[in-house]
Amino acid sequence: DAKTTQPNSMESNEEEPVHLPCNHSTISGTDYIHWYRQLPSQGPEYVIHGLTSNVNNRMASLAIAEDRKSSTLILHRATLRDAAVYYCILRKPNYQLIWGAGTKLIIKP
Amino acid sequence: EAGVTQSPTHLIKTRGQQATLRCSPISGHTSVYWYQQALGLGLQFLLWYDEGEERNRGNFPPRFSGRQFPNYSSELNVNALELEDSALYLCASSPRAGYGETQYFGPGTRLLVL
């Protein structure tokens, strides 16, 4: 079964870049890679997604390995508001999302 | 633009009762998804509705059911509640039924079964 593996937690200093890794070695060719984040007592918030090529948006960048077995979410300048649990997710063609356990990102002032 | 809304925010029921949770998608979105998030765990996919029809369901028993109305709002019904049904139930919507589409989540309904 497809799944994603992420570190339980990571720490970073404010205003520094953050690289959040994700392994998805069982990914299928048609699976999209999505990233969401979730603050306490809130619903998940979309961050970014991609299929094969690297992607950039106003929130973050997504770097996808050439073999697609791993990806990295990059926050270019972390702020205290970026502290959240970040989920790396595979989206299947049948619309199911395969969620990992998430990485708790701690930002130190 | 209003986001996805869910009601109620909290719901307390006892074992064996039925719970009804409601979701209003973002205006113009036709697809609605339901997820269960048990405490400390990731989201588990429950149901997907698009254009009024159930398109897919996750590995949950039939006592989890729902529907989508002509205005694209949706209802999740959980019958014969069990203690382990206590969780945060999240609804998401997307503008189209493409599997690469972004899903926008509501704040959730926290269901407690006593």
Side-chain angles (χ1 to χ4, degrees):
Chain A
D1 281 350
K3 67 172 189 177
T4 67
T5 305
Q6 303 175 250
N8 289 334
S9 66
M10 290 184 65
E11 286 191 2
S12 180
N13 294 319
E14 195 176 10
E15 300 198 1
E16 288 187 356
V18 180
H19 290 235
L20 296 166
C22 180
N23 286 319
H24 29 77
S25 58
T26 57
I27 191 170
S28 299
T30 50
D31 292 346
Y32 273 84
I33 301 160
H34 285 244
W35 284 81
Y36 282 77
R37 68 183 185 182
Q38 189 172 23
L39 278 67
S41 303
Q42 293 189 24
E45 176 188 26
Y46 168 80
V47 178
I48 200 165
H49 78 281
L51 185 62
T52 56
S53 304
N54 294 343
V55 183
N56 299 295
N57 66 21
R58 62 176 180 80
M59 288 183 71
S61 295
L62 176 60
I64 301 172
E66 198 168 329
D67 62 6
R68 299 208 330 124
K69 293 183 185 296
S70 65
S71 61
T72 302
L73 177 70
I74 303 164
L75 306 179
H76 296 286
R77 273 181 83 232
T79 69
L80 295 177
R81 288 179 296 178
D82 292 322
V85 178
Y86 285 79
Y87 292 98
C88 170
I89 301 144
L90 300 182
R91 183 148 189 209
K92 316 291 288 179
N94 65 359
Y95 300 90
Q96 294 207 17
L97 295 180
I98 310 297
W99 291 68
T103 296
K104 183 175 182 178
L105 178 62
I106 299 164
I107 305 296
K108 295 181 289 185
Chain B
E1 178 185 277
V4 176
T5 59
Q6 292 186 245
S7 63
T9 54
H10 292 81
L11 190 57
I12 300 175
K13 295 284 186 178
T14 56
R15 282 178 58 187
Q17 285 188 314
Q18 179 199 37
T20 298
L21 288 64
R22 296 180 177 82
C23 171
S24 291
I26 292 172
S27 177
H29 287 196
T30 62
S31 275
V32 171
Y33 311 80
W34 287 95
Y35 295 88
Q36 181 195 67
Q37 186 176 31
L39 191 63
L41 300 179
L43 278 69
Q44 301 295 317
F45 168 71
L46 263 166
L47 288 159
W48 168 45
Y49 292 95
D50 183 66
E51 298 284 358
E53 302 214 359
E54 181 182 303
R55 301 294 186 181
N56 201 6
R57 65 181 293 129
N59 295 324
F60 282 83
R63 57 191 186 83
F64 286 84
S65 66
R67 53 181 171 165
Q68 186 179 33
F69 299 99
N71 66 354
Y72 303 113
S73 67
S74 177
E75 221 172 60
L76 174 68
N77 294 297
V78 187
N79 294 320
L81 284 165
E82 300 177 3
L83 296 178
E84 52 265 34
D85 296 332
S86 296
L88 179 67
Y89 288 83
L90 290 157
C91 170
S93 73
S94 65
R96 285 168 295 278
Y99 75 99
E101 293 289 329
T102 301
Q103 293 184 4
Y104 298 86
F105 283 81
T109 292
R110 191 163 294 281
L111 173 64
L112 178 61
V113 182
L114 302 174

